[in-house]
């Protein structure tokens, strides 16, 4: 009997060893290396449990200063800079998909170990840093009573908030610090089950259209394809009428959207599927082509078929297009923002910042940082560079970046951190 | 429970209807729970008995242990997503654990009948 126990533990150890990443694979850029699929009995797992900053801060490149614009928030996710420089922060925690299998119970418990224990605020907080010292001297509950708000947009005197179940509009006058009107629901957003509950939001270049990213209702269709109606899509919404159409599909979890300023095209960061090994599948940054199908769940990165999905759909796989730019596997990109008007200058003039939350599904932690993707003429033009790091210390996560927003008013980068519940601001040193 | 899981596995492989593999996953978990009690009982009985019943109980214990190992691996297999939750491996493990469960039950029941004619 002892013999069996030994055999079993040896077997489990072997399985755990399968979670190791192969060194030397380049998984960023337009042509990522894609290794063989490795499905294991136990997926590779590593949870970085939260730890405090103890007065320290994330690390930015030399020439930049990091300050905590605000602390003690209630799960900050995405931020928005208003025309007068006020910063809005969406705070919330949605989801709550029911457990279908014993696995769901266990996985929820394990993933919770890497999260903040604070309850989501269900509100939008306003931060004002009028003296530009990197600390918000004014902080108000701007809109309350929301339902897991995530995406934010401002167009022409209106603020749009993407709750986990609806897109809501609030009238705004410059300088106000609180909105008390209940808001108008522009349209309902798909919220059945809400496995990936976040609804990302961006306004189109001329303001007449809004774009909402709606994540899939499962990892790879394991809740059945019936619940994937209107999931893993980006909706284009007419701002006046609230009418919508599907703008792109098969796009597993488009967690943040932004308009590239030079070409005025919509871009998205997208989280890809888990449990095919530590180096599959790369999350990506891509321009969103109208009407395009990005493969989920049938295939990834173009025509790489996922064997877990039955019945398979070869005709859909043939249609699937490759995204523009890989960010790396399991980095969990949750934020994207383009610089405008020359950005920080130098190497940070034209490009996008990407907030990488980090994932549970590989043993060598990936993500947990903000990277800079340089652009030239509206296209990515080089390898991603670390911009804000130091979130991991030892085996612990002191923070996890979510939304990133380039602030053209103060010339700074705003980073939401939903583990330490902080809004970080990175700005060029004052001279 | 393991034979029931085998039946729902076969149904899933025939229909690709995801709910059947969810059923299997719970049935296997239930089988492990019930099988765990049966294994403990068989070991306790083994330690208390003497004579010819002992060797039979030893066989039952070994069969139950093997069933538990196959069932545990199968539980992990069924935690994978979609088709990979069953596939060939899951089906084979379900067949093995079902056969072992039936065999252990058969021998244990026969031993019980002989004890109390």
């Amino acid at each position: 009997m002892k013999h069996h126990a030994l055999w079993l533990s040896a077997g489990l150890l072997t399985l755990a060893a399968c979670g190791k990443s192969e060194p030397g694979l380049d998984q960023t850029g337009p042509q990522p290396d894609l290794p063989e699929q490795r499905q294991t009995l136990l997926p590779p797992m590593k949870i970085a449990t939260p730890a405090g900053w103890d007065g320290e801060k994330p690390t930015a490149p030399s020439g930049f200063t990091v300050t905590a614009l605000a602390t003690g928030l209630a799960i900050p996710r995405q931020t928005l800079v208003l025309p007068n420089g006020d910063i809005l922060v969406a705070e919330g925690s949605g989801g709550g998909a029911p457990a279908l299998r014993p696995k769901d119970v266990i996985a929820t418990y394990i993933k919770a170990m890497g999260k903040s224990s604070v309850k989501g605020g269900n509100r939008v907080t306003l931060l004002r840093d009028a003296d530009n010292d990197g600390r918000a001297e004014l902080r108000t509950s701007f809109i309350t009573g929301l339902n897991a708000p995530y995406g934010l947009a401002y167009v022409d005197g209106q603020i749009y908030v993407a709750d986990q179940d609806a897109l809501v509009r609030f009238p705004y006058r410059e300088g106000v610090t609180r909105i008390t009107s209940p808001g108008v629901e522009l349209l309902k957003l798909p919220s059945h089950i809400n496995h990936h509950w976040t609804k990302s939001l961006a306004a189109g270049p001329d303001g007449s259209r809004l774009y909402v990213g709606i994540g899939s209702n499962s990892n790879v269709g394991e809740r059945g394809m019936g619940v994937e109606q209107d999931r893993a899509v980006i909706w284009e919404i007419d701002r006046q009428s609230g009418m919508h159409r599907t703008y792109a599909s098969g796009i597993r979890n488009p967690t943040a959207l932004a308009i590239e300023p030079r070409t005025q095209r919509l871009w998205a960061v997208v989280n890809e599927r888990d449990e095919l090994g530590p180096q599959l599948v790369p999350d990506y940054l891509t321009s969103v082509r109208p009407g395009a199908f990005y493969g989920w769940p049938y295939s990834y990165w173009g025509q790489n078929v996922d064997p877990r999905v039955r019945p398979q759909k070869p005709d859909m796989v043939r249609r699937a297009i490759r995204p523009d730019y890989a960010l790396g596997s399991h980095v969990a990109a949750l934020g994207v923002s383009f610089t405008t008007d020359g950005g920080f200058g130098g190497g940070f003039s034209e490009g996008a910042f990407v907030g990488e939350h980090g994932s549970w599904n590989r043993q060598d932690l990936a993500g947990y940082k903000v990277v800079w993707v340089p652009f030239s003429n509206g296209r990515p033009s080089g390898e991603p560079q670390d911009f804000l790091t130091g979130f991991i210390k030892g085996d612990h996560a002191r923070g996890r970046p979510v939304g990133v927003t380039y602030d053209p008013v103060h010339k700074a980068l705003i980073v939401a951190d939903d583990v330490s519940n902080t809004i970080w601001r990175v700005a060029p040193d004052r001279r | 429970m393991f034979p029931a899981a085998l039946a729902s596995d076969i149904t899933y492989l025939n229909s690709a209807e995801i709910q059947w593999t969810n059923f299997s996953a719970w049935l296997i978990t239930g089988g492990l729970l019930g099988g765990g009690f049966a294994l403990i009982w068989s070991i306790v009985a083994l330690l208390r008995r003497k004579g010819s019943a002992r060797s039979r109980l030893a066989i039952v214990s070994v069969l139950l242990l093997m069933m538990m190992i196959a069932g545990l691996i199968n539980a992990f297999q069924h935690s994978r997503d979609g088709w990979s939750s069953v596939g060939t491996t899951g089906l084979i493990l379900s067949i093995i654990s079902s056969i072992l469960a039936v065999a252990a039950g058969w021998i244990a029941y026969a031993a019980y009948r002989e004890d109390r004619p």
Side-chain angles (χ1 to χ4, degrees), chain A residues 39 100-101 103 219 308, chain B residues 26 78-81 83-84:
Chain A
Q39 298 189 55
L100 287 189
R101 289 184 287 169
K103 169 201 189 170
N219 177 29
R308 298 171 293 181
Chain B
W26 286 106
H78 276 73
S79 75
R80 291 160 48 156
D81 288 339
W83 198 256
S84 301

Side-chain angles (χ1 to χ4, degrees), chain A residues 268-323:
Chain A
V269 288
V270 180
N271 288 352
E272 259 293 352
R273 62 204 73 195
D274 291 329
E275 297 183 39
L276 285 178
Q279 287 163 304
L280 283 178
V281 172
D283 298 336
Y284 56 86
L285 168 70
T286 193
S287 60
V288 183
R289 295 191 229 168
F293 174 71
Y294 286 86
W296 189 90
Y298 306 107
S299 66
Y300 56 86
W301 207 266
Q303 275 77 40
N304 297 282
V305 172
D306 193 318
R308 298 171 293 181
V309 187
R310 295 288 175 105
Q312 296 186 325
K313 295 264 175 78
D315 52 325
M316 295 298 280
V317 172
R318 265 196 300 280
R319 273 185 59 201
I321 65 164
R322 281 165 173 251

Side-chain angles (χ1 to χ4, degrees), chain A residues 20-70:
Chain A
K20 288 264 154 51
S21 299
E22 290 170 46
L25 289 185
D26 181 6
Q27 295 212 290
T28 57
Q31 307 281 347
D33 296 333
L34 300 175
E36 292 284 297
Q37 294 165 3
R38 272 194 286 170
Q39 298 189 55
T40 45
L41 278 186
L42 268 177
M45 278 183 265
K46 171 115 178 166
I47 303 291
T49 48
W53 284 98
D54 296 328
E56 293 184 304
K57 291 171 190 166
T59 315
S62 67
F64 289 90
T65 306
V66 182
T67 51
L69 191 65

Side-chain angles (χ1 to χ4, degrees), chain B residues 29-46:
Chain B
T29 308
L32 286 173
L33 193 68
F37 283 117
L39 180 62
I40 292 166
W41 164 84
S42 74
I43 292 169
V44 169
L46 177 66

Side-chain angles (χ1 to χ4, degrees), chain A residues 1 4-5 7-8 12 39-43 99-103 105 219-225 274-275 307-311, chain B residues 12 15-16 18-19 21-22 25-26 29 43 46 61-62 65-66 69 72-74 76-85 93:
Chain A
M1 251 173 270
H4 281 297
W7 173 81
L8 186 66
L12 287 175
Q39 298 189 55
T40 45
L41 278 186
L42 268 177
L100 287 189
R101 289 184 287 169
K103 169 201 189 170
V105 179
N219 177 29
V220 62
E222 74 280 4
R223 289 177 187 270
M225 290 309 288
D274 291 329
E275 297 183 39
R308 298 171 293 181
V309 187
R310 295 288 175 105
Chain B
Y12 173 63
S15 68
I18 210 84
Q19 191 69 328
T21 174
N22 296 340
W26 286 106
T29 308
I43 292 169
L46 177 66
S61 296
V62 169
L65 183 69
M66 283 161 57
I69 291 167
L72 186 64
I73 297 172
N74 207 14
F76 284 120
Q77 178 76 22
H78 276 73
S79 75
R80 291 160 48 156
D81 288 339
W83 198 256
S84 301
S85 62
L93 286 166

Side-chain angles (χ1 to χ4, degrees), chain A residues 340-358:
Chain A
T340 49
D341 301 326
F344 296 133
F348 301 107
S349 304
E350 185 190 346
F353 291 102
V354 176
E356 298 180 349
H357 198 236

